[in-house]
């Protein structure tokens, strides 16, 4: 059993109070290409249609807390609040794109005209719309690279639905919303987890094969982690995977050694703070960096060199 020790937690509640967004709902967090962190909040999250279907319209104000992290000392050294104003779409993801911000909705409905709703919006830090376009329906996750490429993965409704571009399960776009790459090799029915490594190679894990693939978009390496239903993973600088335990075991993490073209030993990993094991509510990964949020609404920052 391995243990990862965390330190310098930030109270999520205190962060919201500091920026006067106590009544806002947390929507999404990310670690950007610049190693800075972003937390998206909505003034009003619409109720699900018939209790099941995500509404694409919200017509509400979005705010974000942008933070600069000292990853060596595992602490947030600066934070500010960004007011994006009122937007029509129901957004689920935030990512920096250069000096601007991508707000992205997971769903896009077909309109009477036959066109699909534009669920991707690039805004400046004041919320002014610079670009707006459609990245298809059923988006599972999103990563933006240093050079502005937008990587979107899709769950089953995006793969098997009528929307035009999610059927391959994984697509790369430019910052104008043009497709520049899509999966052609793998029968992805649900792309359940994605990440990029320090060289910005794309790693993705998919159903039904439960394979993990590393690609530089020219050559692939396929790994077999032996976990069904994994939803999160990172790649340590020591070239290991830290991943969740899959179906019914997302709260347990595992360390798996990467031996170039194969995976080696798996070992359980616990997270602790101040000598106590943590119960996690959520985690956000990018490359080797992680944001952990525990069941007491504390957030921790960690660059995982080696487990």
């Amino acid at each position: 059993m391995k243990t990862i020790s965390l330190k310098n937690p930030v109270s999520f509640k205190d962060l919201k109070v500091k920026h006067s967004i106590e009544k806002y709902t947390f929507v999404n967090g990310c670690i950007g290409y610049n190693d800075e962190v972003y937390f998206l909040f909505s003034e009003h999250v619409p109720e699900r249609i018939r209790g099941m279907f995500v509404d694409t319209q919200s017509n509400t104000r979005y705010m974000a807390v942008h933070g600069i992290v000292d990853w060596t000392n595992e602490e947030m050294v600066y934070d500010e609040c960004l007011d994006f104003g009122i937007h029509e779409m129901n957004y689920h993801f935030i990512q920096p794109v250069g000096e601007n911000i991508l707000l992205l909705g997971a769903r896009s409905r077909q309109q009477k005209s036959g066109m699909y709703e534009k669920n991707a919006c690039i805004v400046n830090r004041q919320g002014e719309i610079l670009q707006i376009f459609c990245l298809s329906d059923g988006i599972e996750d999103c990563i933006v690279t240093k050079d502005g490429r937008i990587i979107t993965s899709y769950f089953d409704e995006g793969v098997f639905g009528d929307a035009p571009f999610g059927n391959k399960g994984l697509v790369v776009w430019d910052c104008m919303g043009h497709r520049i790459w899509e999966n052609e090799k793998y029968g992805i029915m649900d792309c359940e987890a994605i990440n990029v490594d320090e060289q910005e190679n794309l790693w993705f894990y998919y159903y039904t094969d439960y394979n993990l693939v590393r690609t530089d978009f020219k050559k692939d390496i396929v790994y077999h982690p032996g976990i069904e239903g994994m939803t999160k993973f990172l790649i340590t600088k020591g070239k290991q995977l830290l991943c969740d335990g899959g179906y019914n075991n997302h709260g347990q993490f595992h360390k798996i050694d990467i031996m170039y073209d194969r995976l080696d030993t798996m070992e359980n990993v616990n997270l602790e703070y101040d000598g106590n094991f943590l119960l996690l509510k959520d985690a956000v990964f990018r490359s080797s960096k992680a944001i952990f949020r525990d069941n007491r609404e504390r957030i921790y920052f960690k660059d995982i060199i080696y487990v």
Side-chain angles (χ1 to χ4, degrees):
M1 176 77 71
K2 294 284 188 177
T3 299
I4 296 175
S5 296
L6 306 175
K7 59 183 181 180
N8 300 325
V10 174
S11 165
F12 218 41
K13 179 180 178 180
D14 290 350
L15 196 64
K16 293 176 70 175
V17 169
K18 177 180 179 179
H19 296 292
S20 303
I21 51 174
E22 303 98 310
K23 296 183 179 180
Y24 281 63
T25 300
F26 173 62
V27 175
N28 180 241
C30 82
I31 304 167
Y33 72 90
N34 51 12
D35 291 340
E36 297 173 8
V37 300
Y38 301 80
F39 301 102
L40 180 64
F41 297 88
S42 170
E43 189 173 23
H44 170 70
V45 175
E47 294 183 5
R48 288 178 176 260
I49 301 170
R50 298 194 295 278
M52 296 183 292
F53 304 106
V54 175
D55 197 342
T56 60
Q57 305 291 308
S58 66
N59 295 300
T60 194
R61 182 177 297 276
Y62 288 91
M63 310 279 278
V65 174
H66 162 230
I68 297 175
V69 174
D70 178 343
W71 291 98
T72 301
N73 293 312
E74 302 174 23
E75 60 182 338
M76 191 156 64
V77 296
Y78 172 80
D79 57 88
E80 62 178 340
C81 193
L82 305 177
D83 184 349
F84 299 132
I86 296 173
H87 289 264
E88 180 179 333
M89 285 297 297
N90 183 15
Y91 292 125
H92 302 91
F93 305 100
I94 183 170
Q95 285 277 328
V97 184
E99 297 299 316
N100 301 311
I101 301 292
L102 170 68
L103 301 175
L104 176 62
R107 307 309 304 257
S108 172
R109 302 296 185 199
Q110 190 173 26
Q111 300 171 308
K112 291 181 179 179
S113 65
M115 303 294 289
Y116 277 77
E117 295 169 309
K118 297 177 179 179
N119 57 340
C121 183
I122 295 179
V123 299
N124 62 19
R125 291 165 63 86
Q126 291 74 45
E128 298 170 332
I129 296 174
L130 306 177
Q131 298 286 342
I132 187 166
F133 41 83
C134 177
L135 296 186
S136 204
D137 182 45
I139 296 173
E140 178 77 41
D141 204 353
C142 172
I143 293 176
V144 176
T145 62
K146 291 178 182 178
D147 60 5
R149 289 172 294 152
I150 302 168
I151 303 169
T152 48
S153 59
Y154 296 84
F155 55 85
D156 54 357
E157 291 184 41
V159 173
F160 296 105
D162 295 326
F165 306 125
N167 62 311
K168 300 299 178 64
L170 192 63
V171 181
V172 181
W173 316 77
D174 67 17
C175 60
M176 302 292 288
H178 303 124
R179 280 180 297 159
I180 56 178
W181 180 90
E182 61 185 358
N183 162 57
E184 297 285 359
K185 294 183 180 180
Y186 306 97
I188 297 176
M189 300 177 70
D190 188 335
C191 191
E192 298 186 313
I194 58 174
N195 202 344
V196 290
D197 59 28
E198 291 187 297
Q199 292 74 43
E200 297 213 315
N201 298 302
L202 172 63
W203 296 62
F204 60 94
Y205 170 87
Y206 67 95
Y207 175 83
T208 59
D209 293 332
Y210 302 116
N211 286 337
L212 176 68
V213 181
R214 171 196 179 275
T215 183
D216 61 4
F217 305 102
K218 296 177 182 178
K219 182 181 178 181
D220 300 351
I221 300 175
V222 180
Y223 300 97
H224 309 284
I227 298 173
E228 296 185 358
M230 184 170 74
T231 59
K232 289 182 173 63
F233 66 89
L234 62 70
I235 307 101
T236 74
K237 292 182 178 178
K239 295 304 178 186
Q240 302 165 308
L241 289 178
L242 179 69
C243 56
D244 71 27
Y247 298 134
N248 302 317
N249 201 19
H250 294 302
Q252 176 65 62
F253 284 92
H254 303 290
K255 180 268 294 184
I256 308 176
D257 293 322
I258 303 172
M259 310 298 288
Y260 181 64
D261 60 353
R262 65 181 178 86
L263 299 180
D264 198 25
T265 309
M266 179 188 294
E267 190 171 0
N268 288 350
V269 175
N270 285 328
L271 303 174
E272 69 168 15
Y273 167 65
D274 198 23
N276 298 310
F277 291 128
L278 294 180
L279 295 176
L280 286 188
K281 193 171 184 177
D282 193 15
V284 174
F285 295 154
R286 186 188 180 105
S287 187
S288 63
K289 295 179 173 64
I291 305 171
F292 296 107
R293 181 163 61 118
D294 69 14
N295 64 338
R296 296 174 60 183
E297 289 295 312
R298 298 175 298 189
I299 50 178
Y300 308 81
F301 306 97
K302 185 80 173 180
D303 189 2
I304 302 179
I305 309 299
Y306 196 83
V307 181

